[in-house]
């Protein structure tokens, strides 16, 4: 007997019933995610209890019982946080000792950063080709804005401080370390043995020592290496050291990018008759840099967090300003509020940058996969 | 791309040219238009910021005096905050022209490290501060105590010597700045804090219950604090030295910030006249203007006025003149004559 | 490739220097070496001039000068009359101590956090995720200062929390009884070494037996019994050859015993939680990189989830985890130099003090570089060996 094909018409099917109440909706979600087993239930209950302990205390300390205005710590008599200093010292936290009538220049430099970075970090930016020339000119423009010249009043770099100092050192470090990192990465892959040895030596030396020792070098050793009576500005020395430090990490990131370019690209460039530097500059490096951007952003995030170390050689970045404020008799004992404020600044900046870098990595992944 | 190497080389040279090459310190300072003065990162009374962010204090007043001597304008100072660790490298590298940072004059700093101390601006000594509730009357009873101490200072060495000589033991709690020491002491991380007696007074002002703390009677070392400059530049050292001497001599001769302008025109006292420029040419011998001392005194007044303003009885520190009074008033402040 | 020499088309003589790729490469390298030599000569001559002007001697002779300062957290004997050299050794040991402690704690914390983040319990994984994100995005210096403030807020010495009167916790540290090793102790130590060797041999034998017969052997429990039990038995037999120096409260502090300062603990906590957060992300990525088919095949074979994780997933994930883990360990060692900020006397802190007191900046900085480079080299060699050890042996 032949097997009948298994047909059913719609009319023969039983009507669909709703799923059991305990598996859909919020009850279902809860039972699957939080209470799926005895162990999970226990963990969930403990976590909920901890949250119930911590969150209301934090909110009431930071917002509800907090004092927002006053001239000194004695004006804060509540049990909560004392934010009275914010309104008087916020300028110091943001700009350090920059003359208060000139801080508009810092603001402009920050605002101009957006169009300078946009064509490099995002796709689909209008007028990207022209904006890229602006990106190239931006470091020079920003330097003049911050330091002076061209009719703007000169401001000594010693007055730089606060958050502005962190951003300046971080950005200057990354911008300067990019060309050096490219040279080191190419040097490391070079066939010329001396170049390769020098590049590897430099990279391993710089990556093997803590940034603090390099900052001490910039502060104490660099002046010994320079001719007697030649002095460099303290901020310039720090930026040089920070650039050298980050260029070693940058070299590794770019090397990864270079390794990801298929060999065919190198060979095709040679087949077209391009010389080494032409093929690098026109074909290979643009692709490698594009792939490396998430790594470059991650290096920048690490560098940005490390800029707090300048406090150890006596520069007043945002953490240093916080410390200085707390030793002023007017604001004694407010260390918690000051540190929470500084931590918040760093968290918001670094978190947004790392989210961006994640998003970029995902996008690059999907682009590569065909 | 072929031009890349040339661009790189010229960039390197232009960065190198950013540093400036100089001869004598006075010429450097005049060319820079300001005196680079090294001060503390924060010590009440000696170097601290007011709410508008300006640095002020006893050591800062000396910086202003030097700037006034050179430029006639006490505001032409660039303040460089230095920790205990980087103050000496900053001076020897030229990052600062003069260090006015409550630094003790010792043999090794003078001879070994290559600096010149130009005088003593504050005769101090090392002491201990502790809670009265500890119930002890003398530092020799501190066997087994925890002591907060700033690393890299002469106080650290004196502390080790004191306990070794008296055959008692202690647990050091090392800290980098005065502020950290204060925090550790308040939290009772350490039982006593040791530093110069002036630093102890400064720290005591920051306590909520200043009377619960006492400074022990033992002064275990001599700490003559004074400004210093690099060795090898005698002209600049002379300017630094005689600026300090002007402040002390002005107190001795009764010249104050208020009456200096009128006395500059001429008085009966030839010492005052030579100092203020109406007789002789002391200013020219230093390479400064005729009114250099007048400008110094206009900047902050004489030694007594500066002391009163930042360290005296009307300030939270409330320090007595003690050794820092004129020799005529029972102290040991004595400046050479201006002739 | 370009051995197809352009030299054959160019003219003879000097023209070859420019057109022959090998000659050009050689010329370039010679120029670089010359340039570097000139640069080094420039620096050396400046250094000599500067040192002469400052009247500073150079050379490492200062290491035999007496230090005259004290160190509170030390692993070896040291007093204020010891030499600078000995002080540096104390600093190096302190750096190694906090790095090793930090690496162990960070690994434990990172692996646990990474695995928890993959748990199906939504609340738990999000909470741990939030902690990881917060810790990763705040500078480690701030975290060190935070933990130090927390630990300094512990009860004061007079109100110490005691554990059975032998251990004390207060804001000056944890006071533990110190062991005083007496004459019979070498046997206990020998027993410990024998226990370790026996465990290693047993585990090798058990593995061979399992691959031949498929029977498992409880190596873990036997090993534990050997390593811990054997020394304990010898300890009893030898008549307890360990005395204890119990901390007793005196006027200001506790005398006796061994103190772990809050600076060390704060540095350890901060470094472990900061590096642990990064390690948790690496572990999570590593576990996610193992294809789902492995988990499904393991459960098809009847392995329970915990066995799957331990026997199937983690060994494969380790190959992806080890390289980034190495760089995190190196970062932790380098971040330990931030001890200077809270007064834990590690190599950088003690070096800084010596630099200040003796003025020998170049030598001290040179010592820093050499020590940190050696530590980095040691650590990465070990991790490279381990990496090769677990690498996939492909057909």
């Amino acid at each position: 007997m032949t097997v009948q094909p298994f047909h059913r018409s719609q009319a023969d099917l039983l009507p669909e019933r709703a799923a059991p109440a305990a598996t859909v909706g919020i009850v279902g979600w809860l039972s699957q995610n939080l209470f799926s087993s005895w162990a999970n239930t226990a963990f969930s209950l403990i976590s909920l209890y901890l949250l119930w302990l911590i969150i209301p205390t934090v909110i009431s300390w930071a917002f509800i019982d907090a004092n927002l205005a006053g001239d000194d710590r004695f004006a804060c008599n509540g049990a909560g946080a004392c934010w009275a200093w914010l309104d008087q010292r916020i300028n110091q936290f943001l700009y350090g000792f920059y003359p208060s009538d000139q801080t508009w220049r810092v603001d402009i430099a920050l605002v101009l950063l957006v169009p300078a970075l946009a064509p490099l970090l995002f796709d689909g930016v209008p007028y990207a080709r022209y904006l890229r020339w602006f990106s190239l000119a931006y470091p020079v423009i920003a330097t003049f804005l911050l330091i002076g010249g061209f009719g703007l009043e000169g401001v000594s770099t010693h007055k730089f401080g606060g958050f502005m100092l962190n951003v300046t050192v971080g950005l200057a470090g990354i911008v300067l370390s990019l060309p050096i990192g490219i040279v080191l990465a190419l040097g490391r892959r070079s066939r010329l043995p001396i170049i390769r040895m020098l590049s590897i030596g430099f990279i391993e030396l710089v990556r093997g020592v803590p940034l603090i020792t390099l900052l001490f070098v910039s502060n104490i050793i660099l002046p010994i290496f320079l001719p007697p009576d030649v002095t460099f500005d303290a901020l310039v020395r720090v930026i040089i050291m920070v650039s050298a430090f980050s260029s070693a990490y940058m070299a590794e990131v770019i090397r990864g990018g270079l390794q990801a370019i298929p060999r065919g690209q190198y060979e095709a460039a040679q087949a077209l008759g391009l010389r080494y530097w032409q093929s690098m500059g026109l074909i290979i490096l643009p692709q490698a840099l594009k792939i490396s951007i998430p790594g470059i952003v991650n290096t920048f995030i690490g560098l940005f967090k490390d800029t707090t170390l300048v406090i150890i050689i006596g520069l007043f970045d945002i953490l240093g300003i916080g410390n200085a404020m707390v030793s002023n008799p007017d604001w004694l004992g407010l260390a918690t509020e000051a540190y929470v404020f500084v931590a918040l600044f760093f968290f918001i900046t670094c978190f947004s940058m790392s989210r961006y870098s994640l998003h970029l990595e995902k996008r690059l992944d999907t682009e590569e996969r065909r | 791309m072929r031009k890349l190497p040339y661009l790189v080389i010229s960039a390197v040279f232009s960065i190198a040219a950013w540093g400036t090459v100089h001869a004598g310190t006075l010429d450097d300072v005049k060319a820079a238009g300001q005196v680079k003065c090294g001060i503390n990162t924060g010590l009440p009374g000696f170097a601290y910021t007011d709410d508008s962010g300006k640095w002020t204090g006893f050591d800062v007043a000396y910086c202003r005096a030097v700037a006034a001597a050179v430029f006639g304008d006490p505001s032409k100072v660039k303040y460089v905050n230095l920790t205990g660790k980087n103050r000496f490298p900053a001076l020897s590298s030229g990052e600062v022209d003069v260090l006015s940072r409550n630094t003790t004059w010792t043999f090794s700093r003078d001879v070994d490290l290559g600096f010149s101390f130009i005088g003593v601006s504050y005769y101090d000594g090392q002491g201990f501060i502790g809670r009265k509730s500890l119930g002890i009357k003398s530092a020799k009873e501190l066997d087994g105590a925890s002591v907060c101490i700033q690393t890299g200072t002469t106080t650290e060495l004196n502390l080790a010597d004191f306990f070794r000589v008296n055959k008692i033991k202690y647990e050091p709690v090392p800290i980098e700045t005065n502020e950290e020491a204060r925090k550790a002491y308040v939290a009772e991380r350490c039982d006593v804090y040791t530093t110069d007696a002036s630093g102890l007074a400064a720290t005591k002002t920051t306590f909520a219950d200043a009377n619960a703390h006492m400074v022990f009677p033992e002064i275990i070392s001599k700490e003559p604090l004074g400004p210093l400059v690099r060795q090898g530049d005698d002209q600049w050292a002379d300017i630094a030295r005689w600026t300090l001497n002007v402040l002390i001599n002005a107190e001795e001769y009764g010249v104050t910030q208020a009456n200096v302008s009128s006395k500059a025109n001429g008085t009966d006292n030839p010492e005052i006249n030579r100092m203020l420029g109406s007789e002789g040419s002391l200013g020219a011998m230093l390479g400064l203007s005729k009114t250099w001392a007048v400008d110094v005194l206009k900047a902050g007044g004489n030694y007594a006025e500066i002391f009163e303003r930042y360290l005296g009885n009307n300030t939270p520190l409330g320090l007595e003149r003690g050794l820092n009074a004129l020799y005529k008033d029972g102290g040991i402040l004595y400046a050479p004559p201006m002739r | 490739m370009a051995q197809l020499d352009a030299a054959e088309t160019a003219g003879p003589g000097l023209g070859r220097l420019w057109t022959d790729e090998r000659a050009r490469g050689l010329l370039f390298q010679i120029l670089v070496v010359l340039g570097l030599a000139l640069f080094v000569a420039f620096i050396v001559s400046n250094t000599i001039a500067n040192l002469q002007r400052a009247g500073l001697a150079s050379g490492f002779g200062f290491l035999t000068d007496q230090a005259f300062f004290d160190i509170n957290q030390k692993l070896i004997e040291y007093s204020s009359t010891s030499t600078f050299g000995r002080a540096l050794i104390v600093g190096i040991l302190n750096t190694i101590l906090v790095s090793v402690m930090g690496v162990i704690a960070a690994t434990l914390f990172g692996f646990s956090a990474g695995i928890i983040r993959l748990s199906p319990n939504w609340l738990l994984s999000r909470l741990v995720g939030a902690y990881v994100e917060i810790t990763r995005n705040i500078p480690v210096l701030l975290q060190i200062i935070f933990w130090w403030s927390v630990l300094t807020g512990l009860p004061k010495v007079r109100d110490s929390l005691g554990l059975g009167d032998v251990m004390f916790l207060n804001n000056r540290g944890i006071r533990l009884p110190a062991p005083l090793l007496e004459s019979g102790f070498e046997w206990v130590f020998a027993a410990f070494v024998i226990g370790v060797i026996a465990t290693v041999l047993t585990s090798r034998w058990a593995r061979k037996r399992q691959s031949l017969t498929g029977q498992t052997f409880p190596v873990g429990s036997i090993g534990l019994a050997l390593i811990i039990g054997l020394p304990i038995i010898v300890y009893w037999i030898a008549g307890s050859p360990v005395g204890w120096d119990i901390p007793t409260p005196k006027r200001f502090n506790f005398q006796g015993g061994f103190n772990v300062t809050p600076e060390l603990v704060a540095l350890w906590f901060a470094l472990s939680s900061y590096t642990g957060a990064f390690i948790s992300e690496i572990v999570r990525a590593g576990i996610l990189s193992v294809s789902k088919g492995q988990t499904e095949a393991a459960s098809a074979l009847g392995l329970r989830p915990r066995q799957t994780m331990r026997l199937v997933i983690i060994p494969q994930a380790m190959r992806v985890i080890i390289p980034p883990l190495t760089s995190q360990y190196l970062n932790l060692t380098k971040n330990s130099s931030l001890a200077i900020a809270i007064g834990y006397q590690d190599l950088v802190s003690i070096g800084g003090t010596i630099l200040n007191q003796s003025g020998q900046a170049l030598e001290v900085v040179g010592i820093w570089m050499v020590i940190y480079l050696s530590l980095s080299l040691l650590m990465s060699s070990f991790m490279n060996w381990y990496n090769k050890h677990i690498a996939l042996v492909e057909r």
Side-chain angles (χ1 to χ4, degrees), chain B residues 270-321:
Chain B
E271 285 278 334
I272 300 185
N273 293 341
R274 277 191 295 272
M275 182 168 78
L276 299 184
S278 56
E279 272 177 36
S281 57
L282 294 182
M285 288 188 227
L286 276 176
L288 302 175
S289 76
K290 204 157 75 110
T291 55
W292 67 286
V294 179
D295 298 324
V296 166
L297 292 168
K298 274 201 207 148
N302 61 29
Y303 185 92
E305 293 175 282
I306 295 177
F307 194 100
E308 275 311 307
R309 192 177 303 128
Y310 300 113
L311 307 175
N313 284 322
N314 293 332
T315 68
L317 269 77
L319 291 172
E320 293 292 335
R321 290 292 292 267

Side-chain angles (χ1 to χ4, degrees), chain B residues 127-139:
Chain B
F128 297 88
I129 189 172
R131 284 185 171 72
K132 288 186 184 154
S133 57
L134 287 177
I136 57 177
K137 294 284 177 290
S138 141

Side-chain angles (χ1 to χ4, degrees), chain B residues 158-298:
Chain B
N158 294 333
L159 177 69
D161 286 346
F162 176 75
F163 275 83
R164 195 176 63 244
V165 162
N166 285 303
K167 300 205 183 4
I168 48 181
K169 290 204 163 317
Y170 70 107
E171 291 200 10
V173 180
I175 35 137
E176 287 292 304
T177 64
N178 186 56
E179 172 51 31
E180 281 168 47
R182 205 194 58 79
K183 275 195 271 205
Y185 176 76
V186 164
E188 282 192 51
R189 170 80 182 77
C190 49
D191 297 301
V192 292
Y193 173 37
T194 180
T195 181
D196 303 335
S198 57
L200 292 178
T203 312
K204 195 167 162 199
T205 64
T206 60
F207 295 147
D209 51 346
N211 284 324
H213 307 268
M214 64 182 271
V215 177
F216 291 109
E218 280 84 357
I219 298 289
I220 66 172
S221 73
K222 293 189 287 195
E223 304 283 336
L225 308 177
L228 46 153
V229 296
R230 286 181 291 278
Q231 257 175 9
D233 191 337
D234 290 331
Q235 187 192 32
W236 181 246
D238 284 339
I239 293 176
R241 182 175 305 118
W242 284 98
T243 304
L244 180 61
N245 290 338
V246 160
L247 296 173
I248 300 175
N249 277 326
E251 183 191 350
E252 192 180 336
Y253 306 146
V255 184
T256 67
Q257 195 176 25
N259 65 23
V260 65
S261 312
S262 59
K263 295 210 181 210
N265 294 328
T267 66
D268 294 332
N269 189 333
E271 285 278 334
I272 300 185
N273 293 341
R274 277 191 295 272
M275 182 168 78
L276 299 184
S278 56
E279 272 177 36
S281 57
L282 294 182
M285 288 188 227
L286 276 176
L288 302 175
S289 76
K290 204 157 75 110
T291 55
W292 67 286
V294 179
D295 298 324
V296 166
L297 292 168
K298 274 201 207 148

Side-chain angles (χ1 to χ4, degrees), chain C residues 30 34 70 91 107 116 119 179 189 199 212 235 242 253 294 297 318 331-332 355 395:
Chain C
I30 292 178
L34 267 175
D70 272 305
T107 313
I116 293 181
S119 126
F189 187 65
T199 312
L212 285 176
Y235 180 78
V242 177
N253 277 319
Q294 298 286 311
M318 284 304 266
N331 278 347
L332 189 143
L355 200 153
R395 272 186 262 122

Side-chain angles (χ1 to χ4, degrees), chain C residues 102-151:
Chain C
V103 158
I104 296 176
T107 313
L108 286 171
F109 177 68
F111 271 82
S112 325
I115 295 179
I116 293 181
R117 276 200 74 177
L118 293 167
S119 126
N121 186 327
W122 183 90
L123 198 57
L124 214 51
S125 91
R126 286 296 180 274
L127 272 181
V128 172
Y131 180 75
V132 162
E133 281 304 318
I134 293 178
T135 329
R136 280 198 330 161
N137 286 311
I138 297 184
V140 65
L141 188 57
L142 207 49
Q143 296 187 39
I144 293 177
I145 296 179
F146 165 73
W147 282 110
W148 185 80
S149 317
V150 164
L151 285 176

